[in-house]
């Protein structure tokens, strides 16, 4: 066996058998393989290249070029692209470019003015009849007020003072400072208690089911809204200007649920006591409504009384106001009977 200077076995074309042994391609491949440096000669190869003049002056053992300028002149480098410097800053800030556009600024100003006009329209029209900010006034109650108000509803014949108190700025006192002021706390709680009493009554009669309770609750709420709507439309159709607001109508119409609770409670305790309790509560609540609404409907609105005509200022002589007062007062016992006789 013949070895070369690198310790490798010489392979010649004579070692192959067959028709390709004397081919030119095989001979060239063998010669290239013999002259190629192998992996065991890698360290020697790099040492020879480093000691040459082309690398020793510019290449350091740590892998970085010590003279980058000389290396660039000898071997050449690819120029790196630089960011443009003559482009205005607005190109890089689209939001600022949009705000500086006069058309966009005009559109934003027009939109802001349109939003302000819409807000003003809502405040003048919607808040006139249903203002959320004014709703806080009707829930300013305390325990003392609730107890006195329930006693007045139950025994209105014993009350002597039905006037509403006002502050120095001609603003009505909150309910906790004036027992005659309307509130929304008692109507809301009375309505919820009425629904619970309906469920208890249905349970005693073995007719309770969640579906029926939901039907009766929806029916009671629907009739309440219809009642308030009828009274509100009556005021508008008859062109009667009064101190009654939408919340006042809802408050006075909601007080009757307290009497309806007593009717259902009397029916549970003594079945024959239902009509007696209904009759008494109908009379007492009608009297309660007449005395409370008398100054609000017959007296008109204090803020508009000076600007109205003489015909509109006839407080107690106006038949339309008297008829409306009686209509609202007598409507309450009808709803009390309609929403309790089924049980």
């Amino acid at each position: 066996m013949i070895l070369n200077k690198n310790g490798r076995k010489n392979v010649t074309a004579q070692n192959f058998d067959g028709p390709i042994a004397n081919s030119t391609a095989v001979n060239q491949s063998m010669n290239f393989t013999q002259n190629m440096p192998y992996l065991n000669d890698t360290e020697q190869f790099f040492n020879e290249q480093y000691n040459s003049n082309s690398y020793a002056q510019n290449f350091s053992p740590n892998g970085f070029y010590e003279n980058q300028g000389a290396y660039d002149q000898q071997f050449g480098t690819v120029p790196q692209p630089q960011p443009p410097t003559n482009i205005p800053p607005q190109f890089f800030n689209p939001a600022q470019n949009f705000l500086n556009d006069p058309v966009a600024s005009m559109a934003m100003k027009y939109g802001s003015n349109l939003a302000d006009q819409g807000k003003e329209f809502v405040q003048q029209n919607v808040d006139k009849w249903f203002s959320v900010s004014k709703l806080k006034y009707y829930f300013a109650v305390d325990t003392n007020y609730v107890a006195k108000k329930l006693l007045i509803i139950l025994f209105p014949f014993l009350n002597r003072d039905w006037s509403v108190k006002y502050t120095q700025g001609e603003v009505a006192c909150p309910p906790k400072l004036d027992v005659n002021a309307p509130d929304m706390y008692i109507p809301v709680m009375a309505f919820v208690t009425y629904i619970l009493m309906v469920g208890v009554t249905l349970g005693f009669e073995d007719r309770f089911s969640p579906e029926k309770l939901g039907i009766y609750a929806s029916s009671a709420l629907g009739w309440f809204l219809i009642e308030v709507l009828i009274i509100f439309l009556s005021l508008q159709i008859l062109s009667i200007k009064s101190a009654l607001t939408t919340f006042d109508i809802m408050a006075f119409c909601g007080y009757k649920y307290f009497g309806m609770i007593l009717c259902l409670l009397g029916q549970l305790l003594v079945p024959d006591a239902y009509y007696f309790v209904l009759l008494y509560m109908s009379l007492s609540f009608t009297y309660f409504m007449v005395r409370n609404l008398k100054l609000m409907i017959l007296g008109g609105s204090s803020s508009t009384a000076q600007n109205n005509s003489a015909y509109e200022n006839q407080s107690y002589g106006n038949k339309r106001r008297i008829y409306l007062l009686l209509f609202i007062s007598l409507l309450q016992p009808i709803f009390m009977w309609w929403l309790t006789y089924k049980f």
Side-chain angles (χ1 to χ4, degrees):
M1 180 177 63
I2 301 173
L3 300 176
N4 57 11
K5 64 178 181 179
N6 296 323
R8 301 290 181 175
K9 179 182 179 180
N10 290 329
V11 181
T12 61
Q14 284 75 13
N15 297 110
F16 294 92
D17 295 330
I20 65 170
N22 297 323
S23 63
T24 305
V26 173
N27 293 330
Q28 294 177 356
S29 176
M30 294 301 102
N31 295 330
F32 177 77
T33 304
Q34 294 175 3
N35 298 326
M36 181 177 180
Y38 290 91
L39 296 176
N40 54 1
D41 300 331
T42 304
E43 184 177 359
Q44 182 181 359
F45 171 77
F46 279 105
N47 290 331
E48 294 176 355
Q49 296 295 329
Y50 177 73
N51 293 327
S52 63
N53 295 329
S54 60
Y55 287 91
Q57 298 177 359
N58 302 311
F59 191 78
S60 62
N62 59 5
F64 296 94
Y65 295 103
E66 297 178 354
N67 191 354
Q68 184 67 29
Y71 180 83
D72 293 342
Q73 294 177 1
Q74 183 176 359
F75 297 98
T77 56
V78 179
Q80 299 294 331
Q82 299 295 329
T85 58
N86 58 348
I87 299 179
Q90 289 80 357
F91 180 79
F92 298 98
N93 193 350
Q96 185 178 0
N97 190 18
F98 175 78
L99 294 176
N100 292 334
D101 190 359
V103 179
S105 301
M106 185 180 299
M108 294 181 63
K109 185 177 180 180
Y110 177 76
S112 178
N113 295 335
L114 188 62
D116 295 338
Q117 292 178 2
K119 183 179 180 180
E120 184 179 358
F121 175 80
V122 171
Q123 292 178 353
Q124 292 180 355
N125 294 275
V126 179
D127 291 349
K128 180 180 180 181
W129 307 110
F130 197 87
S131 177
V132 179
S133 60
K134 296 180 181 179
L135 187 61
K136 299 179 181 179
Y137 165 85
Y138 294 89
F139 285 92
V141 299
D142 54 8
T143 307
N144 188 22
Y145 167 82
V146 174
K148 290 182 179 180
K149 194 73 171 184
L150 294 179
L151 287 176
I152 292 177
I153 296 175
L154 188 59
F155 304 105
F157 310 103
L158 302 178
N159 190 27
R160 294 291 180 263
D161 184 14
W162 296 92
S163 61
V164 179
K165 299 178 181 179
Y166 291 87
T167 60
Q168 295 180 356
E170 296 184 357
V171 179
C173 294
K176 62 182 179 181
L177 300 178
D178 184 12
V179 71
N180 293 321
D183 71 285
M184 290 292 295
Y185 176 80
I186 294 178
V188 171
M189 298 305 297
F191 180 83
V192 175
T193 308
Y194 163 74
I195 300 300
L196 297 178
M197 285 298 301
V198 170
V200 173
T201 305
L202 294 176
F204 274 96
E205 298 177 356
D206 295 331
R207 296 187 299 143
F208 177 80
S209 65
E211 292 78 9
K212 287 185 178 180
L213 186 62
I215 292 173
Y216 286 123
S218 301
S219 177
L221 181 60
W223 282 112
F224 176 76
L225 296 178
I226 291 175
E227 179 185 3
V228 173
L229 183 61
I230 290 174
I231 297 174
F232 178 78
L233 292 178
S234 299
L235 289 171
Q236 299 300 318
I237 294 174
L238 297 177
S239 300
I240 296 177
K241 297 181 180 180
S242 65
L244 278 177
T245 63
T246 306
F247 290 126
D248 292 338
I249 298 174
M250 297 174 65
F252 286 115
C253 293
Y255 287 140
K256 65 175 175 291
Y257 288 103
F258 174 66
M260 295 163 59
I261 294 172
L262 297 180
C263 293
L264 295 177
L265 183 61
Q267 184 179 4
L268 290 177
L269 299 177
V270 181
D272 296 335
Y274 167 75
Y275 291 101
F276 174 77
V277 177
L278 179 62
L279 178 62
Y280 175 78
M281 292 305 304
S282 298
L283 294 176
S284 62
F285 194 69
T286 302
Y287 181 80
F288 171 82
M289 292 290 290
V290 170
R291 294 304 303 265
N292 277 282
L293 298 179
K294 181 179 179 180
L295 296 178
M296 292 186 176
I297 295 179
L298 298 182
S301 177
S302 60
S303 60
T304 58
Q306 296 179 357
N307 299 327
N308 294 335
S309 60
Y311 178 77
E312 292 292 337
N313 287 331
Q314 296 175 358
S315 302
Y316 296 96
N318 196 331
K319 294 183 179 180
R320 292 181 300 171
R321 298 176 183 271
I322 297 176
Y323 290 154
L324 181 63
L325 174 62
L326 295 177
F327 170 73
I328 297 174
S329 302
L330 296 177
L331 190 63
Q332 307 306 312
I334 297 176
F335 279 102
M336 292 175 62
W337 168 79
W338 177 254
L339 296 175
T340 56
Y341 85 98
K342 301 178 183 179
F343 312 106

